[in-house]
Amino acid sequence: MSVNLGIPAVRSSGEGNLFAHEKFQSAAKRELKNEQLRANLRHATHTIRDKRLNVVSELPDWEELRESGSRIKENVMARLPELLEQFEAAFTARGGVIHWANDATEANAIVTSLIRATGETEVVKVKSMATQEIGLNEHLESLGINAIETDLAELIVQLGHDRPSHILVPAIHKNRTQIRDIFRAEIPNASPDLTDNPKELAATARAYLREKFLNAKVAISGANFGIAETGTLGVVESEGNGRMCLTLPETLITVMGIEKILPRWEDLGVFMQLLPRSSTGERMNPYSSLWTGKNGPDGPQNIHLVMLDNGRTRALADKNGRSALHCIRCSACMNVCPVYERTGGHAYGSTYPGPIGAILSPLLTGITAEENSSLPYASSLCGACFDACPVKINIPEILVDLRAQDVEAQHSVRKAPTEMDVLMKGASWALSSGTRLKFLEKGLPAGRLLAGKDQRISWLPGIAGGWTSSRDIPAPPQSSFRDQWAQREKFQKSQGSQQSQQSQASQKPTGKQGE
Amino acid sequence: MGAKEDILSRVRVALQGDAPVTDIPREYRQSGTMNQDQLIDHLTDRLVDYKAEVKVVLATDLQGAIAEFLANARSVVVPHGLDAEWIAGVADADVVTDSPEAPVPVDQLNATDAVLTSSAVSVAESGTIILDGTPTQGRRAISLVPDQHVCVVPASTIVEILPEAMPRLEPSHPQTWISGPSATSDIELERVEGVHGPRRLSVIIVKDA
Ligand code: SF4
């Protein structure tokens, strides 16, 4: 029990599907063995990446749009309390009802009671990261309420009793034959002769879901944007399943993270240029729906919105990591990430995979949360994600900061120094003195002996073993840089008497490259 | 009420001592440079790229163009504010009018072949047609459930870029932004048109006579 001192608790942690159940390093090792997954992923991420580059280069003002997008989001975070209240007032004035949820448990309970009030036991659902984050489907299922995913990829994942592995193309890890097998087994009226032709597969899903849409009384959605000035919510999609859910049922329940607010109507004109191009590499997604409360006989009569914290205020309190909340879930960062491309989304363990997942999950749960502390290390820090991000989230910088936080946290709980501590101590001892370093470098040839014929060391004894358990390191060079430098100096001195100072200054380095 | 207070107070504590963010740069393009013919060409190009069918006609030929697109439809639904002249050339189909007072039930919409609507604003650069629920466009369900959507775009409603469209739209109206027919790329990224929305999008751009 905590004692209430009149100060609100800042650190309310996120819960739900935000946790890795296993360290990234070991999950990644297993996923790497799945060659089918890697081939599918490679094809998909490279295709989307190329499409994205094409449509982005069409816009002469892409960088200006990014800059505005980034600053608008910064402004949203700085003014969040005021904007949330403005949104609530506008949304409520148009007949909508707002519910606030501190965490996943509260949000799930609110949605459940809203559904129960309608007496329904089956609801249709638009793909939504927020509801996936809080584990809504599983929660509803445990209470006997069937939430049917209507996005084709989500349906494939749901019918396959699987987990999504990408935020944009959740079934990216399944190929057409696998999908056909799932449909044949799980869709009641699917033809036994169903082929793996994508057109036929999509038609099967259409027939199956249309009946559900026409009869559904309750729908659940997420929201891409909530506009404070007008109280408008927006959902961006492709297939029309969103439009079906958002307009046909009597009751619509939306779950939205509190960070999704945009201040003004005109801001939507910025984000609707940034999002589709970054996301699917299209100039615009096929369908977007915008609604501002109730609209007479056009659309649902009961409009609910659950405003979700679930660790967002905790992330907001992290000044260095806060900008992770700017994320518009476009997935551009995962499509360019060399680590994601090889490990796939499941290795990250939570709803949010890829570079953004590596920072967002630990920010929402806290770095000390079990296993999530390994996520900031799931990166090569190559910076491709930062370049791709339409709202300029500096993911590499946040990764480094979170690593530092992790090291701090580990320090405070550990009694005995770790191997890493010993190594670092040793390195600082060696690097702080030229003589010591020189002495140590004499050991380099021994390193070459350790390496095999291919001049790579894949196993190191003792304290350095942790490093080589997940990567090979090249063997050390024959002689140290310091030795080479000294020799070069010696050589130049002996040449010096014959050459002028000037030609020496323009002399190119003579060292051979790529031995 | 409790959760709201909890969340807002945590937000306030998290933000304590922060300087407010001022001046948001808006150096992106706010207006386009194309003339009407260029806008029509640009929009047509985008829509064709999305696999929509497009006809560009003079106002005097509108009735004929609509009749051609609806040649195979046996039933058509129209919103109550639509100009009755538009549909007058469609002789062979049953025409049903949807209105807020007498909304067509969804089962009946599901059995209807096509829908004919006008549109509020279109954005040439992204190939986006926007419907805003006003009487010439109707309830959102009517442009969603039938299998073909014939949509009329008056040339004067086309803008070049999205920031020009925003001030022309009324946020309190429910909106549907359409960029091509329904499509999915969820199966090995192969694009398949027509999953849940209309499988056929037929656009008629009407030039001022
Ligand atoms: S972090 Fe940036 S690139 Fe990645 S999903 Fe979010 S907005 Fe897109």
Side-chain angles (χ1 to χ4, degrees), chain A residues 7-12 43-45 47-48 51 58-61 64-65 67-68 71-72 74-75 77-81 84-85 88 94 100-102 106 150-154 156 168-171 174-177 179 197-199 201-203 205-206 209-210 213-214 230 232 238-241 243-244 246-248 258 264-270 272-273 277 282-292 295 297-300 307-309 313 316-317 319 322, chain B residues 1-30 42 45-47 49-50 98-103 106-107 109-112 123-134 138-149 161-163 165-199 201:
Chain A
I7 305 164
V10 183
R11 303 227 165 252
S12 159
H43 168 66
T45 54
T47 311
I48 302 175
K51 277 174 71 186
E58 261 177 28
L59 292 192
D61 55 347
E64 286 78 10
L65 284 166
E67 183 60 28
S68 296
R71 293 286 286 175
I72 290 168
E74 226 175 283
N75 184 38
M77 297 312 148
R79 294 170 53 208
L80 202 51
L84 285 169
E85 299 215 85
E88 182 178 39
R94 302 267 315 169
W100 299 75
N102 276 305
E106 286 186 17
T150 61
D151 173 83
L152 181 53
E154 287 290 342
I156 293 165
L168 177 72
V169 260
K174 294 274 183 228
N175 65 22
R176 61 183 70 191
T177 321
I179 296 168
N197 178 337
K199 270 202 170 64
L201 294 170
R206 178 184 174 103
L209 287 175
R210 177 138 310 207
F213 289 135
L214 299 187
T230 60
T232 306
S238 292
E239 296 169 9
N241 62 307
R243 291 180 66 190
M244 292 278 179
L246 301 169
T247 57
L248 299 186
I258 54 170
R264 287 151 59 174
W265 176 247
E266 87 175 295
D267 297 330
L268 197 62
V270 175
M272 287 302 290
Q273 290 186 79
R277 285 179 205 256
E282 292 171 300
R283 296 188 178 109
M284 189 66 87
N285 51 289
Y287 293 134
S288 301
S289 297
L290 299 168
W291 70 100
T292 308
N295 292 283
D298 184 350
M307 289 276 216
L308 179 69
D309 179 350
T313 48
L316 192 70
K319 284 196 169 45
R322 173 184 299 174
Chain B
M1 222 51 225
K4 177 184 173 184
E5 300 316 319
D6 290 349
I7 292 170
L8 288 181
S9 57
R10 280 197 301 271
V11 172
R12 288 196 184 98
V13 171
L15 295 173
Q16 238 163 38
D18 286 4
V21 177
T22 47
D23 55 280
I24 293 161
R26 291 187 190 267
E27 265 129 46
Y28 54 85
R29 290 170 301 157
Q30 302 275 357
H42 210 54
D45 175 77
R46 280 11 185 181
L47 288 168
D49 190 47
Y50 292 142
D98 181 272
S99 70
E101 293 72 36
V106 66
D107 287 345
L109 286 177
N110 194 34
T112 305
V123 183
E125 187 177 65
S126 60
T128 306
I129 299 170
I130 302 175
L131 309 190
D132 70 354
T134 46
R139 295 186 308 128
R140 288 171 288 174
I142 66 167
S143 62
L144 171 64
V145 182
D147 210 23
Q148 182 190 11
H149 181 192
I161 57 177
L162 194 52
M166 301 312 289
R168 293 189 180 208
L169 293 165
E170 170 51 49
S172 64
H173 292 167
Q175 286 167 34
T176 304
W177 298 17
I178 297 170
S179 309
S182 153
T184 183
S185 303
D186 280 343
I187 303 168
E188 294 184 22
L189 292 182
E190 197 167 292
R191 190 173 164 109
V192 178
E193 271 82 29
V195 194
H196 303 299
R199 281 184 274 208
L201 175 65

Side-chain angles (χ1 to χ4, degrees), chain A residues 115-136:
Chain A
I115 297 172
R116 287 233 163 110
T118 67
E120 295 295 308
T121 53
E122 187 168 281
V123 303
V124 287
K125 195 164 164 292
V126 200
K127 170 178 186 277
S128 138
M129 300 309 294
T131 57
Q132 222 165 74
E133 174 188 319
I134 60 174
L136 181 64

Side-chain angles (χ1 to χ4, degrees), chain A residues 24 27-34 36-42 45 163-167 170 172-173 334 337-350 352-355 375 378:
Chain A
F24 176 82
K29 206 167 193 168
R30 186 180 53 252
E31 297 291 325
L32 274 172
K33 297 201 180 94
N34 185 344
Q36 174 75 60
L37 168 81
R38 210 152 65 237
N40 292 359
L41 266 179
R42 203 188 136 72
T45 54
R163 281 184 302 144
S165 68
H166 189 286
I167 68 177
I172 203 168
H173 56 292
M334 48 206 81
C337 177
V339 176
Y340 175 86
E341 184 185 320
R342 285 162 183 83
T343 63
H346 289 160
Y348 295 80
S350 88
Y352 303 106
L375 285 173

Side-chain angles (χ1 to χ4, degrees), chain A residues 167 327-333 356 389-391 393 395:
Chain A
I167 68 177
C327 176
I328 54 174
R329 316 276 190 261
C330 74
S331 77
C333 57
I356 182 63
C389 179
V391 285
I393 302 172
I395 297 176

Side-chain angles (χ1 to χ4, degrees), chain B residues 69-78 87 93-96 108-117 142-143 145-150 198 200 202:
Chain B
F69 269 142
L70 289 174
N72 295 324
R74 280 160 297 124
S75 49
V76 180
V77 59
V78 296
I87 196 81
D94 291 337
V95 177
V96 187
Q108 194 184 337
L109 286 177
N110 194 34
T112 305
D113 292 332
V115 53
L116 170 66
T117 72
I142 66 167
S143 62
V145 182
D147 210 23
Q148 182 190 11
H149 181 192
V150 180
R200 207 175 146 199
S202 317

